[in-house]
Amino acid sequence: MTEISRSRSVRFLLFSASVCLQFIPGFSDDSTSSESSSKSKPSTNSNTATIIVIVLFGFIAVGLFSFFLFKLWQKKKRDEQHARLLKLFEEDDELEFELGLRA
């Protein structure tokens, strides 16, 4: 069973590495891009810079959203624990009556 999971993880790692390498222009198998890159160099750079900025803003937005959700989760947990603590120390009239502490 562990051999199967290992071979799957190795296959997944190789697949993801090959996909990542396709995004690097030097390792790409596209020979037409090298011929046309000398003609349209300025627009390619501006497009690449725009994509990088958009992706960067996307990562920042996801990070901030995750941070907001984490803080919201922390507050919810803290409120639940506070409610449990109040319930624990709440005066129970029935218990006092059963123990004879109250008439």
Side-chain angles (χ1 to χ4, degrees), residues 24-79:
I24 301 173
F27 294 111
S28 173
D29 202 22
D30 188 13
S31 61
T32 60
S33 67
S34 62
E35 295 171 1
S36 65
S37 66
S38 62
K39 295 178 183 176
S40 62
K41 190 80 167 173
S43 66
T44 305
N45 285 341
S46 65
N47 287 342
T48 305
T50 304
I51 291 172
I52 289 173
V53 168
I54 290 171
V55 168
L56 198 67
F57 278 131
F59 279 132
I60 291 171
V62 167
L64 289 174
F65 186 67
S66 299
F67 180 74
F68 171 73
L69 288 178
F70 176 71
K71 287 297 186 180
L72 193 66
W73 175 77
Q74 272 187 334
K75 183 180 179 192
K76 181 181 172 186
K77 275 296 210 193
R78 191 171 41 245
D79 289 344

Side-chain angles (χ1 to χ4, degrees), residues 87-101:
K87 186 176 180 180
L88 181 66
F89 288 108
E90 179 175 89
E91 287 189 31
D92 193 6
D93 292 335
E94 294 176 13
L95 182 62
E96 290 178 356
F97 182 71
E98 288 177 10
L99 293 175
L101 298 174

Side-chain angles (χ1 to χ4, degrees), residues 9-32:
S9 64
V10 169
R11 269 191 267 152
F12 178 72
L13 181 64
L14 289 174
F15 173 72
S16 61
S18 65
V19 169
C20 289
L21 288 176
Q22 292 299 318
F23 291 112
I24 301 173
F27 294 111
S28 173
D29 202 22
D30 188 13
S31 61
T32 60

